[in-house]
Amino acid sequence: MQAASAEPKVIGSIHLAGIRESVPRARAEVRRWLGDDHPVVDEAVLAVSELMTNALRHSNAKPYTLIGLTVAAVGGTVYVGVRDPGSTFSAPHIRQESEAEDGRGLLIINEIAHDWGVREHGHGLGRTVWCAIRAVPPLAASAPAPAERAAVEIDS
């Protein structure tokens, strides 16, 4: 008998305009969805701030473009996903310039999340940049194994 894999529970999902005022709105929504007493609310709010800012600055988003935000949980892990229209020029990456004054969003994500990645949806269909933040210590976490993580869909 096979064990059933954990199904992700969507905690919240919203589409926001491709404008900078959407970043504080996204932070407020994540804080509301998780609640101030959630063990990783601050990390999730920081993650959504960085991912939303990147979506606005580094994708082909326009003010009339909708940016999707989804927060889901599986076991002891919170997943944050931001879906944007993608870019014809670059893919999300961690900048290596140590003296750069900006562009540290994915470096921050890399530090606060135990995993992150990009899911391309096909030409003209955009991409989702996601991260996974453990809400419990790794030894006690019941987060899906790496092979199961691919099945966690947090696309908006």
Side-chain angles (χ1 to χ4, degrees), residues 54-139:
N54 283 354
L56 296 172
R57 293 185 72 191
H58 303 293
S59 78
N60 294 336
K62 305 287 185 236
Y64 54 82
T65 304
L66 292 179
I67 306 295
L69 165 64
T70 301
V71 175
V74 176
T77 301
V78 172
Y79 289 85
V80 175
V82 173
R83 184 171 182 158
D84 65 42
S87 171
T88 54
F89 298 108
S90 67
H93 65 281
I94 297 175
R95 287 186 57 179
Q96 301 301 318
E97 300 89 7
S98 60
E99 300 300 316
E101 291 186 20
D102 63 357
R104 299 186 192 277
L106 288 178
L107 183 61
I108 292 169
I109 296 296
N110 198 52
E111 291 298 315
I112 64 173
H114 78 273
D115 200 6
W116 70 274
V118 180
R119 186 177 306 107
E120 297 288 345
H121 301 292
H123 183 71
L125 300 174
R127 67 177 171 221
T128 299
V129 182
W130 59 270
C131 69
I133 304 167
R134 284 195 175 118
V136 294
L139 293 176

Side-chain angles (χ1 to χ4, degrees), residues 11 29-38 40-41 44 71 78:
I11 297 169
E29 290 294 332
V30 170
R31 187 166 296 281
R32 185 174 65 81
W33 294 337
L34 291 176
D36 284 330
D37 60 340
H38 193 280
V40 295
V41 66
V71 175
V78 172

